[in-house]
Amino acid sequence: MKEGRIQKISINDIIRLQKIAKQTFAETFAENNTEENLQIYLEEGFSVEKLTSELNNPNAEFYFAIKENNPIGYLKINFGPAQTELQDDSSLEIERIYVLKEYHGQNIGQLLFEKAHEIAKSKKVAYIWLGVWEENHRALSFYKKNGFEVFNKHLFKLGSEEQTDLMMKLTLK
Protein backbone atom coordinates (compact mmCIF):
# COMPACT_ATOMS: atom_id res chain seq x y z
CA MET A 1 0.00 0.00 0.00
CA LYS A 2 2.00 2.96 -1.25
CA GLU A 3 1.69 6.04 0.95
CA GLY A 4 -0.80 4.22 3.15
CA ARG A 5 -0.93 3.53 6.84
CA ILE A 6 -2.80 1.62 9.50
CA GLN A 7 -4.49 3.90 12.05
CA LYS A 8 -6.33 3.02 15.26
CA ILE A 9 -9.97 4.13 15.13
CA SER A 10 -11.38 6.28 17.92
CA ILE A 11 -14.93 7.29 18.79
CA ASN A 12 -14.32 10.49 16.79
CA ASP A 13 -14.12 8.32 13.65
CA ILE A 14 -17.51 6.69 14.14
CA ILE A 15 -19.23 8.17 11.07
CA ARG A 16 -16.31 7.21 8.80
CA LEU A 17 -16.32 3.74 10.36
CA GLN A 18 -20.06 3.34 9.84
CA LYS A 19 -19.77 4.41 6.21
CA ILE A 20 -16.95 2.02 5.29
CA ALA A 21 -18.45 -0.81 7.35
CA LYS A 22 -21.77 -0.60 5.51
CA GLN A 23 -20.16 -0.15 2.10
CA THR A 24 -17.68 -3.01 2.40
CA PHE A 25 -20.25 -5.40 3.88
CA ALA A 26 -22.70 -4.62 1.07
CA GLU A 27 -19.99 -4.98 -1.58
CA THR A 28 -19.02 -8.35 -0.12
CA PHE A 29 -22.45 -9.89 0.43
CA ALA A 30 -25.11 -8.12 -1.72
CA GLU A 31 -24.69 -10.47 -4.66
CA ASN A 32 -25.51 -13.60 -2.63
CA ASN A 33 -28.21 -12.32 -0.28
CA THR A 34 -31.61 -10.66 -0.54
CA GLU A 35 -31.70 -6.88 -0.40
CA GLU A 36 -34.13 -7.08 2.52
CA ASN A 37 -31.85 -9.29 4.64
CA LEU A 38 -28.84 -7.16 3.76
CA GLN A 39 -30.61 -3.93 4.75
CA ILE A 40 -31.74 -5.39 8.07
CA TYR A 41 -28.18 -6.40 8.89
CA LEU A 42 -26.67 -3.09 7.78
CA GLU A 43 -29.08 -1.10 9.97
CA GLU A 44 -28.73 -3.32 13.03
CA GLY A 45 -25.09 -4.38 12.73
CA PHE A 46 -23.67 -0.95 11.96
CA SER A 47 -25.94 1.41 13.87
CA VAL A 48 -24.23 4.35 15.60
CA GLU A 49 -25.35 2.89 18.95
CA LYS A 50 -23.83 -0.54 18.26
CA LEU A 51 -20.59 0.89 16.87
CA THR A 52 -20.32 3.29 19.84
CA SER A 53 -20.67 0.37 22.24
CA GLU A 54 -18.03 -1.63 20.34
CA LEU A 55 -15.61 1.33 20.16
CA ASN A 56 -16.02 1.95 23.89
CA ASN A 57 -15.33 -1.69 24.79
CA PRO A 58 -11.79 -1.91 26.25
CA ASN A 59 -11.49 -5.47 24.88
CA ALA A 60 -12.14 -4.49 21.25
CA GLU A 61 -10.00 -2.48 18.84
CA PHE A 62 -10.64 -1.11 15.36
CA TYR A 63 -8.07 -0.01 12.75
CA PHE A 64 -8.43 1.74 9.42
CA ALA A 65 -6.24 1.12 6.39
CA ILE A 66 -5.77 4.71 5.17
CA LYS A 67 -4.71 5.88 1.73
CA GLU A 68 -4.62 9.57 0.78
CA ASN A 69 -6.35 10.37 4.10
CA ASN A 70 -9.33 8.13 3.30
CA PRO A 71 -10.23 4.80 4.89
CA ILE A 72 -10.03 2.02 2.30
CA GLY A 73 -10.46 -0.90 4.68
CA TYR A 74 -10.77 -1.75 8.34
CA LEU A 75 -10.06 -4.37 10.97
CA LYS A 76 -11.89 -5.24 14.19
CA ILE A 77 -10.25 -7.46 16.80
CA ASN A 78 -11.62 -8.72 20.12
CA PHE A 79 -10.04 -10.05 23.30
CA GLY A 80 -11.45 -12.01 26.26
CA PRO A 81 -15.12 -11.22 26.96
CA ALA A 82 -15.52 -9.08 23.82
CA GLN A 83 -15.04 -12.15 21.62
CA THR A 84 -18.22 -13.17 19.86
CA GLU A 85 -18.04 -16.82 20.76
CA LEU A 86 -14.99 -18.49 22.32
CA GLN A 87 -14.11 -15.75 24.84
CA ASP A 88 -10.80 -17.47 25.53
CA ASP A 89 -8.24 -15.24 27.27
CA SER A 90 -5.47 -17.06 25.39
CA SER A 91 -6.86 -16.02 22.00
CA LEU A 92 -7.57 -13.02 19.82
CA GLU A 93 -10.59 -12.92 17.52
CA ILE A 94 -10.51 -11.20 14.15
CA GLU A 95 -14.16 -10.23 13.87
CA ARG A 96 -13.85 -8.18 10.71
CA ILE A 97 -11.37 -7.49 7.92
CA TYR A 98 -13.01 -5.63 5.06
CA VAL A 99 -11.52 -3.71 2.16
CA LEU A 100 -13.29 -1.54 -0.41
CA LYS A 101 -13.80 -3.55 -3.58
CA GLU A 102 -11.75 -1.14 -5.72
CA TYR A 103 -8.71 -1.95 -3.54
CA HIS A 104 -9.01 -5.75 -3.69
CA GLY A 105 -5.82 -7.39 -4.88
CA GLN A 106 -3.60 -4.62 -3.48
CA ASN A 107 -2.59 -6.42 -0.23
CA ILE A 108 -4.71 -4.16 1.98
CA GLY A 109 -6.38 -7.14 3.67
CA GLN A 110 -2.94 -8.66 4.19
CA LEU A 111 -1.69 -5.49 5.91
CA LEU A 112 -4.74 -5.48 8.19
CA PHE A 113 -4.22 -9.17 8.98
CA GLU A 114 -0.54 -8.49 9.75
CA LYS A 115 -1.62 -5.76 12.19
CA ALA A 116 -3.87 -8.28 13.99
CA HIS A 117 -1.04 -10.85 13.98
CA GLU A 118 1.39 -8.28 15.42
CA ILE A 119 -1.06 -7.42 18.22
CA ALA A 120 -1.69 -11.11 18.94
CA LYS A 121 2.05 -11.72 19.29
CA SER A 122 2.51 -8.66 21.52
CA LYS A 123 -0.30 -9.92 23.79
CA LYS A 124 1.27 -13.40 23.74
CA VAL A 125 -1.96 -15.19 22.84
CA ALA A 126 -1.83 -18.84 21.80
CA TYR A 127 -3.99 -18.47 18.71
CA ILE A 128 -6.05 -16.20 16.47
CA TRP A 129 -9.54 -17.31 15.45
CA LEU A 130 -12.38 -16.02 13.28
CA GLY A 131 -15.61 -16.99 11.60
CA VAL A 132 -16.11 -16.72 7.84
CA TRP A 133 -19.20 -17.50 5.77
CA GLU A 134 -18.80 -20.84 4.03
CA GLU A 135 -19.81 -19.18 0.72
CA ASN A 136 -17.20 -16.40 0.97
CA HIS A 137 -14.60 -18.25 -1.10
CA ARG A 138 -12.33 -15.22 -1.47
CA ALA A 139 -12.03 -14.83 2.32
CA LEU A 140 -11.64 -18.58 2.89
CA SER A 141 -8.79 -18.66 0.40
CA PHE A 142 -7.15 -15.62 2.05
CA TYR A 143 -7.27 -17.14 5.53
CA LYS A 144 -6.06 -20.57 4.35
CA LYS A 145 -3.16 -18.86 2.59
CA ASN A 146 -2.30 -17.25 5.93
CA GLY A 147 -2.24 -20.59 7.76
CA PHE A 148 -5.75 -20.76 9.24
CA GLU A 149 -7.49 -24.13 9.53
CA VAL A 150 -11.19 -24.88 9.99
CA PHE A 151 -11.96 -26.22 13.48
CA ASN A 152 -15.72 -25.79 13.89
CA LYS A 153 -18.88 -24.14 12.53
CA HIS A 154 -21.47 -21.73 13.89
CA LEU A 155 -24.63 -20.04 12.68
CA PHE A 156 -24.65 -16.40 11.61
CA LYS A 157 -27.96 -14.59 11.23
CA LEU A 158 -28.25 -12.20 8.28
CA GLY A 159 -31.68 -10.62 8.48
CA SER A 160 -34.12 -13.52 8.58
CA GLU A 161 -31.67 -16.07 7.14
CA GLU A 162 -29.34 -18.34 9.10
CA GLN A 163 -26.02 -18.99 7.39
CA THR A 164 -23.14 -21.26 8.31
CA ASP A 165 -19.81 -19.68 9.22
CA LEU A 166 -16.69 -21.80 9.31
CA MET A 167 -14.63 -21.12 12.42
CA MET A 168 -10.93 -20.97 11.60
CA LYS A 169 -7.87 -20.91 13.83
CA LEU A 170 -4.22 -19.96 13.45
CA THR A 171 -2.00 -21.34 16.21
CA LEU A 172 0.87 -19.01 17.05
CA LYS A 173 4.34 -20.27 17.89
Side-chain angles (χ1 to χ4, degrees):
M1 181 169 65
K2 292 180 182 172
E3 302 168 29
R5 67 188 190 289
I6 304 294
Q7 170 189 307
K8 191 166 186 183
I9 299 174
S10 75
I11 197 73
N12 297 328
D13 299 309
I14 194 162
I15 299 305
R16 291 191 328 156
L17 173 60
Q18 183 185 48
K19 181 179 181 214
I20 195 168
K22 285 183 172 185
Q23 183 177 347
T24 55
F25 193 89
E27 287 177 351
T28 304
F29 299 112
E31 190 176 300
N32 298 307
N33 291 283
T34 68
E35 188 173 331
E36 180 183 7
N37 281 336
L38 190 65
Q39 287 306 315
I40 291 168
Y41 188 82
L42 292 175
E43 293 308 313
E44 292 174 0
F46 302 116
S47 70
V48 169
E49 296 76 22
K50 185 169 190 310
L51 290 173
T52 298
S53 174
E54 291 175 343
L55 281 163
N56 286 328
N57 187 328
N59 292 304
E61 295 178 5
F62 286 83
Y63 295 86
F64 280 139
I66 302 282
K67 188 172 185 178
E68 297 171 2
N69 292 320
N70 294 308
I72 59 171
Y74 78 103
L75 162 72
K76 181 182 183 217
I77 56 176
N78 299 314
F79 312 97
Q83 294 180 64
T84 59
E85 195 150 324
L86 299 182
Q87 301 178 341
D88 181 347
D89 287 334
S90 67
S91 71
L92 174 148
E93 175 191 18
I94 295 176
E95 186 176 350
R96 299 180 202 135
I97 291 182
Y98 286 100
V99 175
L100 291 171
K101 198 170 200 165
E102 67 187 277
Y103 293 95
H104 284 187
Q106 297 183 32
N107 287 327
I108 310 305
Q110 187 66 37
L111 289 170
L112 290 165
F113 166 70
E114 287 168 6
K115 180 65 175 177
H117 192 264
E118 170 191 312
I119 292 167
K121 285 174 33 179
S122 74
K123 292 194 176 277
K124 296 179 172 57
V125 299
Y127 63 97
I128 301 171
W129 74 275
L130 53 87
V132 61
W133 186 31
E134 65 184 351
E135 298 299 325
N136 189 345
H137 302 292
R138 180 182 184 89
L140 287 167
S141 175
F142 173 81
Y143 291 119
K144 286 177 183 173
K145 178 186 84 170
N146 278 289
F148 283 80
E149 296 179 352
V150 174
F151 71 95
N152 207 341
K153 295 178 180 183
H154 68 183
L155 292 177
F156 177 83
K157 192 154 178 153
L158 185 82
S160 63
E161 184 181 349
E162 286 188 344
Q163 300 177 346
T164 301
D165 276 3
L166 300 177
M167 294 172 69
M168 302 181 81
K169 178 192 287 191
L170 173 66
T171 302
L172 303 177
K173 297 185 180 8

